[in-house]
Amino acid sequence: MRIAILGGTGKEGGGLALRWARSEEIVIGSRQQEKAERVSGELNAKLGADLIRGALNPAAAGEADLAVLTVPYESHIPTLSTVKDALQGKVLIDTTVPLDPGKPTRLRPGELSAAEEAQEFLGPGVRVAAAFETVSFTILNDLAQEVHGDVLVCSDHKDAMEQALRLVRLCGFRAIDAGALRNARVVEAMTPMLIHINKKYRVKHAGFRVSGLEGAAGV
């Protein structure tokens, strides 16, 4: 599968690229071609192989089978506006959390999750899933470190849910079907809590684990 990581030159996008590149075809997108090529080169150096390519976001989205959005909230809709047409008929996994830039231990006010806003903006031709909102980029970028914790996935579309769950497992996490896309509001609210916990206990990769699922079918 060819995966476009839109806004993939950041720490989270780069970490996901590293985790997936051994088994999927990865293109990281950026607003700047030079930056996309530079970061893809740095990631390939970590992997010891030329497995990741760089491209402008619209080109990356256009050639992809599936796209993943890894941008700060302030770039959320602006980035989607450049790839809206290219994403039609495809699955988009949205990792965005609408953190308050002045106080990242809280969310910006609003009724919808970022993923719901993406679905509303892109229309029914794109199947949106929300995932990876509570995953630390430090874990993703350290391939020598064993991953831990659960990733909650929300979507209103069966195929988007299945694809997102598969990619979560490919990173090494336990993948949890957390229901409809509206539930992403709850998952996003867990992110500022984790930021607080990381600061309070002076760690960098606190996460969540759902209890009682050991041995459950499909987990």
Side-chain angles (χ1 to χ4, degrees):
M1 173 179 288
R2 183 176 296 163
I3 300 173
I5 305 180
L6 308 175
T9 56
K11 293 179 180 179
E12 183 171 13
L16 290 172
L18 289 172
R19 293 281 173 177
W20 291 332
R22 295 292 185 186
S23 57
E24 309 294 330
E25 185 178 348
I26 304 298
V27 183
I28 58 170
S30 175
R31 292 175 298 174
Q32 304 171 14
Q33 181 72 33
E34 182 180 352
K35 186 175 184 180
E37 293 177 356
R38 175 176 57 80
V39 174
S40 63
E42 293 170 354
L43 295 173
N44 284 326
K46 288 185 178 182
L47 292 168
D50 291 330
L51 301 176
I52 300 170
R53 294 187 293 110
L56 293 173
N57 282 322
E63 65 175 285
D65 301 306
L66 176 148
V68 182
L69 184 63
T70 60
V71 296
Y73 183 67
E74 55 267 26
S75 300
H76 187 240
I77 295 300
T79 300
L80 289 177
S81 67
T82 69
V83 297
K84 182 176 182 178
D85 291 340
L87 291 178
Q88 296 304 308
K90 300 177 182 179
V91 167
L92 172 72
I93 300 174
D94 197 344
T95 74
T96 309
V97 178
L99 295 173
D100 186 328
K103 191 174 180 61
T105 52
R106 67 186 180 193
L107 296 179
R108 294 173 185 244
E111 296 183 0
L112 298 179
S113 66
E116 288 175 292
E117 291 176 355
Q119 184 68 82
E120 186 176 87
F121 177 79
L122 295 170
V126 182
R127 286 100 64 204
V128 175
F132 297 106
E133 298 100 324
T134 59
V135 174
S136 169
F137 67 80
T138 60
I139 293 178
L140 293 173
N141 280 276
D142 186 356
L143 296 179
Q145 181 171 319
E146 183 179 356
V147 302
H148 56 83
D150 295 337
V151 173
L152 304 175
V153 180
C154 304
S155 184
D156 295 331
H157 305 278
K158 182 179 178 181
D159 63 333
M161 174 66 75
E162 291 175 348
Q163 291 284 10
L165 291 172
R166 184 182 74 85
L167 291 175
V168 168
R169 296 186 187 107
L170 196 58
C171 286
F173 297 98
R174 191 170 68 165
I176 305 296
D177 181 336
L181 197 61
R182 65 178 178 272
N183 292 342
R185 305 174 201 179
V186 177
V187 182
E188 289 179 1
M190 296 163 72
T191 300
M193 185 191 308
L194 280 175
I195 293 173
H196 167 79
I197 291 171
N198 280 325
K199 289 182 177 180
K200 175 68 176 179
Y201 296 99
R202 298 181 181 180
V203 297
K204 296 181 178 180
H205 43 70
F208 290 107
R209 184 80 172 177
V210 180
S211 63
L213 291 180
E214 290 71 20
V219 177

